[in-house]
Amino acid sequence: MAVSHARRVSRVALIGNPNTGKTTMFNRLCGVRAKTSNFPGTTTTMRVGQHLRGDGFGWDVVDLPGLYGLGFDGPEVRIVREILHGDGAHDSTDALIVIVDATNLSRNLILVGELLLSGKPMVIALNMTDLAARRGVTIDADALADRLGVDVIPVVASKGIGVPALSDAVERIANAQQTRTPKPPPVSQAEDLGNWADEVLTSAGGRPNDNSSDPFTERLDRFLTHPIFGTLVFLLVMGGLFWTLFALANYPMDFIEATFAYLGKLATTYLPRGPIADLLANGIIGGIAGTVVFLPQICLLFFLISLLEDTGYLARAAFVNDRFFRRFGLPGHAFVPMLTAHACALPGIMSTRLIPSRRDRIVTILVAPFISCSARLPVYVLLTGLLFASRPALAGVAFASCYLLGAAAAFGSAWLFGRTVFRGTPRQMVLELPTYKRPSIRTALLTAKDQGLAFIQTAGTVIVAICIVMWWLSAYPRSAPAPQAEVLRAQGQVAQADAVQAQVQQSNSVIGRVGRVVEPVFRPLGYDWQLSVGLMTSFLAREVFVSTMTVLAGDQGDPSADPGVRQRIRTMTRDDGTLVFSRATCASALVFFVLAMQCLPTLAVTRRETGALKYAVLQLTYMSSVAWIAAFLVFQGLRLAGVS
């Protein structure tokens, strides 16, 4: 029997200061053999992969959070300390790859000194040597290795230069073949470590604070961090990102919707009419479609954010916005989530991972859904059109006001949270501006892949289950054939007959009966049971409101494309014969949809990103309460003013 002589696989951790190229190096080492998950017992994400070589040697790789020193406080630093020592639920590592920035080596060596004091076997990856060379900074890697007593490998992670040599150095650690003896610093205090780092850098041929003398970086920073010009550049860059997110994601989203619509049509065509075909077409296929359709936006968002972060611009943009956001209890880092929430709250909430403070991250997650997203657009178009049917200018003003109201609610709520349940001030933005560099397309693509898979694997399963439950509530109990539908069917008007039957089914279903039960809750806002059903079904997704009201109006068409349908919705009547959509009711419903949490997928992502159900419950309760109170004031105020 053959005996395997494969060498043991070590667990190696990537560690370093922020913006030193850790993620790029991780992607070079692991490629697609990586997954994203949470550190045990935390909501902080980590990436774990496997590096395999052609000779059979390999090791597991853990990408640790970036940090400036082991003595700082914070969840990320505690995680790193526990992993270094194998404390708690964290597995210890066999070796470290310390990524240092060759253009800012003096600052990076302070962390190297702390890691040498920990006694962990390590190899140092001297990254961005190409940028250092262009700036005239020359580091003698051999002299630095002799001074520290560990291997120092010059690398350019973005191009893959030096990665094989780095792998060889880790193999020597795994096989106990190191020829150098680590030389930890004789001091441990932060100030003393700074002096030690300068001495080490000088002995390796470098000069302390070499990065501060780059004229190109200084000129760009004077412009990009300027209070006025920096803000203008930020608006242009983020506007471009915003436009790209809408423009480019529409094509794959349309393709996904068309694909699932075709699958649903196949199910209804080739399966006998009945509950199984209905469940498959409207419950399962429709539920999966409602999940997967967000995927292009999420992947494109993280692809673009990765590119911006790689260039070094995101840190400058956060610096520019910090002063404005802090007035409302939000950190400057919150500008990306708040902006991208205009496209969809899901990627907006997921991008809060860029915020270092957990308190600030949770507050941003709670208020981000107030920002008007693309799913609200069909509702805004319908309601503003009903409110100002023959006055398009006023309809346009009302449409724009929806966005302003949502933004005001988001910042106002953040201010309120900061003085009540989340007392405190946003963490000061103490950050070291990274160097400007060419972004890595490879890293951006792998980041988009990781975030897309994470979304599908976590939120996706919850969303599909919710969709199936909501389908059941609207499909049962089955109603007997309506006399009016039978008459229309006998006259050959099959589509109209199906619409009438759907209206009867909706009214008599569980969700229809629930609508009548909850009608007293919404009656002070001016809503009858039909509008209450529309609100209830829209908690699945906001855009469902339009299709629900279309069915209740007696047609399954698209109100945005068929003026006749809009007219039928406008003339819908209550049980007492009055209009469902009076002017006061339209205004009330518009305000309610701007402010209410009517998106179960968002709640699922909130639960995942915060790690606690209580925050999703708080988000739902708070936003629904704000929406109800505001809609009540609008409706009753208009009634008092004589507007019916």
Side-chain angles (χ1 to χ4, degrees), residues 351-374:
S351 62
T352 59
R353 298 171 186 176
L354 298 170
I355 302 175
S357 166
R358 176 167 171 78
R359 178 261 178 201
D360 298 343
R361 190 159 58 243
I362 291 176
V363 171
T364 306
I365 288 173
L366 292 177
V367 303
F370 275 119
I371 302 297
S372 291
C373 64
S374 58

Side-chain angles (χ1 to χ4, degrees), residues 96-402:
L96 303 175
I97 296 179
V98 187
I99 313 295
V100 298
D101 181 358
T103 67
N104 189 18
L105 194 54
S106 178
R107 180 68 182 85
N108 286 214
L109 283 173
I110 295 177
L111 177 61
V112 171
E114 291 183 308
L115 295 173
L116 284 171
L117 289 169
S118 72
K120 277 285 183 183
M122 70 178 66
V123 57
I124 295 177
L126 186 63
N127 196 21
M128 304 183 201
T129 52
D130 55 339
L131 289 179
R134 287 200 292 270
R135 296 184 182 184
V137 178
T138 303
I139 304 296
D140 188 335
D142 291 333
L144 185 60
D146 291 337
R147 183 69 172 78
L148 299 176
V150 296
D151 288 338
V152 176
I153 311 299
V155 299
V156 181
S158 60
K159 301 177 181 177
I161 298 174
V163 175
L166 184 65
S167 180
D168 291 339
V170 174
E171 181 181 11
R172 289 193 292 272
I173 293 177
N175 294 328
Q177 295 177 349
Q178 282 184 297
T179 58
R180 291 185 171 92
T181 302
K183 301 175 182 178
V187 294
S188 59
Q189 298 299 319
E191 183 178 350
D192 295 331
L193 280 174
N195 296 330
W196 170 84
D198 290 342
E199 294 173 3
V200 171
L201 180 59
T202 302
S203 67
R207 301 184 305 276
N209 303 317
D210 273 319
N211 65 315
S212 63
S213 60
D214 180 39
F216 175 74
T217 298
E218 291 179 350
R219 285 197 301 269
L220 272 183
D221 280 349
R222 279 198 298 269
F223 182 74
L224 294 180
T225 61
H226 190 274
I228 298 177
F229 298 117
T231 301
L232 292 176
V233 171
F234 162 75
L235 293 175
L236 287 175
V237 171
M238 291 298 113
L241 184 147
F242 191 28
W243 176 87
T244 303
L245 206 59
F246 270 110
L248 295 187
N250 278 338
Y251 297 105
M253 291 176 74
D254 290 343
F255 174 76
I256 290 172
E257 289 182 330
T259 300
F260 280 96
Y262 177 72
L263 293 176
K265 185 177 180 180
L266 287 179
T268 56
T269 301
Y270 292 100
L271 289 176
R273 294 189 64 177
I276 295 179
D278 198 14
L279 169 62
L280 184 61
N282 299 322
I284 298 176
I285 294 178
I288 295 175
T291 301
V292 178
V293 73
F294 294 113
L295 193 60
Q297 281 188 331
I298 290 173
C299 292
L300 183 59
L301 167 71
F302 282 100
F303 175 80
L304 295 174
I305 286 179
S306 178
L307 292 180
L308 288 175
E309 187 176 23
D310 236 6
T311 62
Y313 175 73
L314 275 190
R316 275 84 181 175
F319 176 81
V320 168
N321 284 274
D322 183 59
R323 179 178 299 178
F324 174 77
F325 276 71
R326 284 179 60 82
R327 292 176 180 174
F328 297 95
L330 292 170
H333 299 88
F335 79 91
V336 170
M338 300 290 276
L339 180 78
T340 53
H342 281 89
C344 177
L346 301 182
I349 290 175
M350 292 175 68
S351 62
T352 59
R353 298 171 186 176
L354 298 170
I355 302 175
S357 166
R358 176 167 171 78
R359 178 261 178 201
D360 298 343
R361 190 159 58 243
I362 291 176
V363 171
T364 306
I365 288 173
L366 292 177
V367 303
F370 275 119
I371 302 297
S372 291
C373 64
S374 58
R376 288 180 168 104
L377 294 182
V379 182
Y380 291 173
V381 170
L382 175 65
L383 292 178
T384 54
L386 296 178
L387 187 59
F388 300 105
S390 57
R391 289 175 286 182
L394 290 178
V397 172
F399 191 91
S401 299
C402 293

Side-chain angles (χ1 to χ4, degrees), residues 360-447:
D360 298 343
R361 190 159 58 243
I362 291 176
V363 171
T364 306
I365 288 173
L366 292 177
V367 303
F370 275 119
I371 302 297
S372 291
C373 64
S374 58
R376 288 180 168 104
L377 294 182
V379 182
Y380 291 173
V381 170
L382 175 65
L383 292 178
T384 54
L386 296 178
L387 187 59
F388 300 105
S390 57
R391 289 175 286 182
L394 290 178
V397 172
F399 191 91
S401 299
C402 293
Y403 281 85
L404 294 177
L405 177 60
F411 284 103
S413 297
W415 179 88
L416 179 64
F417 284 147
R419 285 157 178 77
T420 54
V421 292
F422 296 99
R423 288 184 178 275
T425 57
R427 179 186 289 187
Q428 288 280 354
M429 282 193 68
V430 180
L431 76 163
E432 185 176 25
L433 295 180
T435 56
Y436 293 102
K437 53 184 180 293
R438 181 181 303 171
S440 169
I441 301 296
R442 175 190 175 94
T443 297
L445 288 173
L446 289 173
T447 298

Side-chain angles (χ1 to χ4, degrees), residues 479-604:
S479 297
Q484 184 183 358
E486 292 299 302
V487 171
L488 291 172
R489 203 178 305 278
Q491 296 173 351
Q493 303 180 42
V494 178
Q496 292 85 345
D498 289 343
V500 171
Q501 186 62 39
Q503 181 179 6
V504 173
Q505 173 62 44
Q506 188 80 282
S507 175
N508 294 330
S509 67
V510 174
I511 197 68
R513 296 175 184 180
V514 170
R516 293 185 182 275
V517 171
V518 301
E519 180 185 358
V521 177
F522 295 107
R523 191 178 296 129
L525 313 184
Y527 311 156
D528 74 330
W529 74 266
Q530 297 175 89
L531 195 47
S532 298
V533 168
L535 292 180
M536 294 296 294
T537 57
S538 66
F539 275 93
L540 172 64
R542 295 178 180 94
E543 58 270 36
V544 174
F545 173 79
V546 178
S547 59
T548 299
M549 299 314 298
T550 302
V551 170
L552 293 177
D555 198 324
Q556 295 180 340
D558 181 5
S560 64
D562 185 353
V565 173
R566 288 200 298 270
Q567 180 63 24
R568 282 193 289 274
I569 293 178
R570 184 179 292 112
T571 56
M572 287 178 64
T573 57
R574 306 168 187 257
D575 293 339
D576 60 3
T578 59
L579 290 176
V580 171
F581 287 100
S582 65
R583 293 184 63 190
T585 300
C586 281
S588 171
L590 195 59
V591 169
F592 188 89
F593 271 95
V594 170
L595 301 176
M597 167 48 70
Q598 289 170 287
C599 184
L600 288 175
T602 298
L603 292 173

